[in-house]
């Protein structure tokens, strides 16, 4: 199983959709609230080169936004 | 050949899908996202049955309702062209082509761009069109909100609790937003309102560092890390040329949701129906499918 990290904010609808999708597919993931945690926000900006949520890190592969198709491809599900 | 293709999956498109499923139509939903503008609404207090619900929760319920039925949903797919050839409606997307006897266009509206230098280059590098999504990322930072309507003030009030200085930049002499919101912003202490002010450009290096604004011939640079653009929206109707539209691009529909082209129906915020409300869009989506169903029966 690939390591998955989600950068999100508590208010962002697409973040919730993304996390619901991962839960539906039984994909374990680490969830970081970049609205509350400045260090993680900086980490997300460094990794993705942008400021916008959600960002998903699938073992080093960075996908910005809830791009279902890309995520499915990357996870091989 | 499908009986129906629904373009969009906001309140109008999802309701259309539920009605089409119950009519046992052979149909497909083609959409970029689920929920549309409703997903981004913060507090919803006028959708009947819920005294209060967030856009996110309401959209989740809409989706669950639709997915009770076995529905083909093509998510993340962009429609490029809809046209009619003989009795068939042709739908061309970025992923393929479809043929259908009818189509319901429920593609909604998209945020309007400001059209200044730096806007595209700094998109998601400080420039955002979704305060609900990205607001918390600008905690403690100075930001600008562009616009003067309720959506701009909504962004200002969300940000005023978490951000540093907030510059509200409005091109008009007076804010259009509800006075109760303007009063709250004025009282917050960290909101600076610039009326009669135009944004000239957005600048920075990797991320936004500031904006240049001009007011009565004088230009000023404001140091901000975030730029929230809330200057309204435009109908997402560019992919259909043959139907009649009004001068803002809204698709003209009659009380049966028929457009000027037989077999092409439209519903929700993409149409010229004046009330842009979730509950109205839902009703219009239902009406459009019932009309499409009737049309197919007549032309069987």
């Amino acid at each position: 199983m690939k390591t998955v990290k989600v950068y999100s904010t508590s208010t962002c609808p697409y973040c919730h959709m993304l996390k619901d999708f991962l839960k539906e597919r039984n994909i374990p993931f680490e969830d970081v609230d970049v609205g509350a945690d400045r260090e993680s926000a900086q980490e997300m900006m460094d990794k993705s080169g942008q400021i916008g949520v959600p960002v998903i890190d699938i073992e080093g592969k960075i996908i910005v936004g809830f791009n279902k198709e890309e995520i499915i491809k990357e996870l091989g599900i | 050949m499908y009986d129906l293709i629904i373009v969009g999956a906001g309140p109008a498109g999802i309701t259309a899908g539920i009605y089409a499923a119950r009519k046992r139509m052979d149909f497909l939903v083609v959409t970029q996202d689920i929920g549309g503008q409703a997903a981004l609404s913060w507090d919803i207090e006028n959708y009947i049955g819920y005294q209060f619900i967030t856009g996110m929760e309401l959209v989740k319920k809409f989706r669950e309702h639709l997915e009770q039925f076995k529905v083909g949903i093509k998510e993340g797919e962009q429609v490029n062209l809809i046209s009619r050839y003989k009795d068939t409606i042709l739908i061309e997307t970025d992923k393929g082509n479809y043929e259908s006897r009818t189509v319901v266009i429920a593609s909604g509206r998209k945020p309007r761009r400001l059209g200044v230098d730096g806007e595209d280059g700094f998109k998601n590098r400080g420039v955002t069109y979704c305060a609900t999504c990205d607001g918390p990322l600008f905690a403690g930072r100075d930001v600008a909100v562009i616009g003067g309507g309720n959506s701009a003030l909504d962004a200002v009030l969300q940000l005023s609790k978490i951000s540093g200085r907030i510059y509200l930049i409005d091109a008009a002499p007076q804010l259009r937003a509800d006075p109760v919101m303007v009063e709250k912003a004025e009282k917050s202490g960290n909101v600076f309102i610039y009326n009669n002010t135009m944004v000239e450009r957005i600048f920075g290096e990797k991320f936004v560092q500031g904006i240049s604004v001009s007011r009565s011939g004088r230009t000023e640079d404001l140091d901000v890390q975030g730029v929230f653009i809330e200057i309204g929206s435009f109908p997402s109707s560019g992919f259909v040329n043959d139907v009649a539209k009004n001068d803002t691009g809204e698709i003209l529909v009659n009380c049966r949701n028929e457009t000027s082209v037989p077999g092409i129906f439209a519903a929700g915020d993409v149409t010229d129906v004046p009330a842009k409300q979730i509950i109205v869009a839902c009703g219009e989506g239902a009406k459009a499918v019932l009309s499409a169903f009737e049309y197919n029966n007549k032309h069987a």
Side-chain angles (χ1 to χ4, degrees):
Chain A
M1 187 77 74
K2 289 186 175 177
T3 324
V4 179
K5 191 168 180 177
V6 175
Y7 298 89
S8 64
T9 65
S10 57
T11 53
C12 149
Y14 298 113
C15 302
H16 285 266
M17 286 182 201
L18 166 62
K19 288 186 273 185
D20 285 348
F21 171 73
L22 294 175
K23 283 177 201 158
E24 270 166 34
R25 303 290 180 109
N26 293 315
I27 309 288
F29 62 92
E30 185 193 346
D31 180 21
V32 238
D33 181 354
V34 289
D37 177 352
R38 290 300 287 270
E39 262 174 47
S40 297
Q42 190 58 49
E43 183 183 292
M44 180 195 84
M45 284 162 68
D46 293 341
K47 277 187 186 176
S48 66
Q50 58 93 52
I51 324 172
V53 283
V55 168
I56 182 168
D57 177 348
I58 305 172
E59 242 168 56
K61 165 85 180 179
I62 307 295
I63 300 166
V64 177
F66 178 30
N67 186 336
K68 210 172 179 177
E69 211 172 297
E70 279 269 303
I71 293 166
I72 288 172
K73 209 170 87 188
E74 201 54 39
L75 288 170
I77 52 174
Chain B
M1 170 91 80
Y2 290 94
D3 292 335
L4 166 69
I5 285 180
I6 298 164
V7 178
I14 290 178
T15 309
I18 291 165
Y19 271 71
R22 289 172 56 86
K23 287 287 187 193
R24 300 276 183 264
M25 293 174 88
D26 179 17
F27 75 103
L28 201 60
V29 180
V30 181
T31 188
Q32 279 182 297
D33 60 10
I34 306 281
Q37 302 165 87
L40 307 179
S41 305
W42 192 229
D43 303 344
I44 297 168
E45 298 180 346
N46 53 8
Y47 190 82
I48 311 312
Y50 299 99
Q51 287 174 34
F52 173 87
I53 191 163
T54 65
M56 201 157 63
E57 286 167 23
L58 186 61
V59 164
K60 203 168 166 181
K61 288 183 185 292
F62 282 177
R63 183 185 196 134
E64 281 165 10
H65 195 162
L66 178 64
E67 287 178 345
Q68 277 201 327
F69 307 98
K70 227 176 138 31
V71 177
I73 305 179
K74 300 276 182 184
E75 204 180 327
E77 192 159 333
Q78 188 188 316
V79 173
N80 291 331
L81 189 66
I82 293 180
S83 55
R84 182 185 158 95
Y85 179 71
K86 293 183 179 167
D87 286 335
T88 303
I89 312 294
L90 309 172
I91 295 102
E92 294 173 31
T93 77
D94 58 348
K95 308 258 164 67
N97 299 330
Y98 307 96
E99 292 182 1
S100 182
R101 299 167 69 199
T102 61
V103 62
V104 169
I105 300 174
S107 45
R109 300 174 74 90
K110 289 200 158 49
R112 181 172 284 141
R113 293 176 61 262
L114 200 53
V116 299
D117 274 357
E119 181 175 9
D120 291 338
F122 288 111
K123 191 179 170 198
N124 288 344
R125 296 173 195 275
V127 173
T128 171
Y129 301 87
C130 182
T132 308
C133 305
D134 299 331
L137 280 161
F138 294 89
R141 296 173 195 259
D142 294 343
V143 299
V145 175
I146 320 298
N150 280 348
S151 62
L153 265 291
D154 198 25
V156 164
L157 294 177
Q158 277 184 51
L159 291 162
S160 70
K161 295 177 202 130
I162 55 166
S163 298
R165 294 165 78 93
I166 299 154
Y167 300 98
L168 175 59
I169 312 293
D170 187 21
Q174 206 178 349
L175 299 172
R176 280 188 324 283
D178 293 343
V180 56
M181 300 177 93
V182 177
E183 282 159 25
K184 271 191 203 167
E186 283 168 347
K187 278 190 194 140
S188 68
N190 57 344
V191 177
F192 302 86
I193 299 171
Y194 284 52
N195 300 118
N196 282 318
T197 305
M198 303 296 290
V199 178
E200 299 287 332
R201 68 186 186 102
I202 299 165
F203 59 84
E205 283 174 24
K206 194 170 178 196
F207 297 105
V208 168
Q209 291 172 336
I211 58 172
S212 297
V213 298
S214 71
R215 180 160 48 169
S216 33
R218 280 223 317 269
T219 303
E220 185 184 344
D221 285 354
L222 302 171
D223 293 339
V224 293
Q225 284 88 58
V227 182
F228 293 78
I229 299 175
E230 298 286 349
I231 51 169
S233 59
F234 67 93
S236 179
S237 63
F239 52 80
V240 52
N241 304 318
D242 303 339
V243 300
K245 300 176 194 173
N246 67 16
D247 54 10
T248 66
E250 292 173 339
I251 298 172
L252 303 182
V253 289
N254 63 15
C255 67
R256 294 175 181 278
N257 297 82
E258 293 163 329
T259 68
S260 59
V261 178
I264 301 184
F265 301 82
D269 282 8
V270 74
T271 70
D272 65 330
V273 169
K276 309 298 188 210
Q277 297 289 318
I278 295 173
I279 199 156
V280 173
C282 290
E284 292 290 308
K287 281 168 57 197
V289 165
L290 295 175
S291 294
F293 181 73
E294 206 174 292
Y295 173 94
N296 278 349
N297 282 348
K298 272 189 200 155
H299 296 81

